[in-house]
Amino acid sequence: MIAGHFGLAAAVKAGRPAIPVWTLMLATAWLDVVFVPLYLSGVETVDGEGYGGGIIHADYTHSLIGALVLAALFGAVASRWLGRQAGLVLGGVVFSHWLLDLVVHRADLPILPGNAGDLPTFGFGLWRLPTVSAVVELLMLAVGIGLYWRAAAKRDPKRARTLGLSAAAFGVVTLAADLLGV
């Protein structure tokens, strides 16, 4: 779903041009960025492989409360350098990762970190339909890039074509990597 996350970040950039695009891209992937060291240390795991082919045990980074805490921390740090408004937006972008994952993940998203209390886990399971999931992700990416390009064209028509082509190329590469499990 990483390409879909980046599509959302591009859409947010269209409406908030003062926020640096790199911060939006980092924010949208922040839960996965924090997941990597936990995965490498064996704290969080993945059973299965391929595009949506596994159950992800990201019981800290991708729990509802864990995602809210990581979003608040990211937003607070961003606020220090980019201002309160940008920090709030970036915190929201971080949390949007969990909301988008809720749609595609199987029921592997816990409420509490570490799945404390062994409460029910959530996920609507769109990944069970890989073609449908890929189409939804591609649409999210296309809409995000389209909004970003349209906003960029209004601000700087000369650079809009280059921005649009660059964003589209980035999106295609990201989606391909996502589908290939790279």
Side-chain angles (χ1 to χ4, degrees):
M1 176 48 103
I2 198 70
H5 293 304
F6 287 140
L8 183 115
V12 172
K13 176 66 176 172
R16 301 293 185 153
I19 299 176
V21 73
W22 71 268
T23 61
L24 288 162
M25 294 299 176
L26 181 59
T28 200
W30 189 245
L31 299 185
D32 290 339
V33 169
V34 176
F35 167 80
V36 169
L38 295 176
Y39 173 75
L40 293 174
S41 66
V43 172
E44 296 188 336
T45 60
V46 178
D47 295 334
E49 56 187 58
Y51 181 73
I55 298 292
I56 299 170
H57 303 283
D59 294 339
Y60 296 94
T61 58
H62 286 66
S63 68
L64 174 60
I65 300 302
L68 286 168
V69 168
L70 289 171
L73 290 171
F74 193 98
V77 170
S79 291
R80 180 158 166 77
W81 283 281
L82 299 171
R84 184 175 187 270
Q85 189 76 358
L88 289 171
V89 169
L90 288 164
V93 171
V94 170
F95 186 67
S96 76
H97 183 111
W98 191 87
L99 294 172
L100 293 175
D101 278 3
L102 179 64
V103 174
V104 296
H105 276 236
R106 290 168 176 81
D108 59 9
L109 299 171
I111 296 171
L112 299 173
N115 200 16
D118 202 27
L119 298 171
T121 55
F122 296 94
F124 301 144
L126 190 60
W127 273 341
R128 289 186 186 109
L129 306 167
T131 303
V132 174
S133 178
V135 168
V136 168
E137 192 164 1
L138 182 60
L139 286 172
M140 288 179 62
L141 187 61
V143 168
I145 289 171
L147 291 170
Y148 177 64
W149 178 80
R150 189 174 74 182
K154 288 179 183 176
R155 287 189 307 275
D156 190 349
K158 290 182 182 181
R159 286 189 48 205
R161 181 181 166 115
T162 303
L163 284 171
L165 291 173
S166 298
F170 174 76
V172 168
V173 169
T174 304
L175 181 60
D178 203 7
L179 291 171
L180 294 173
V182 176

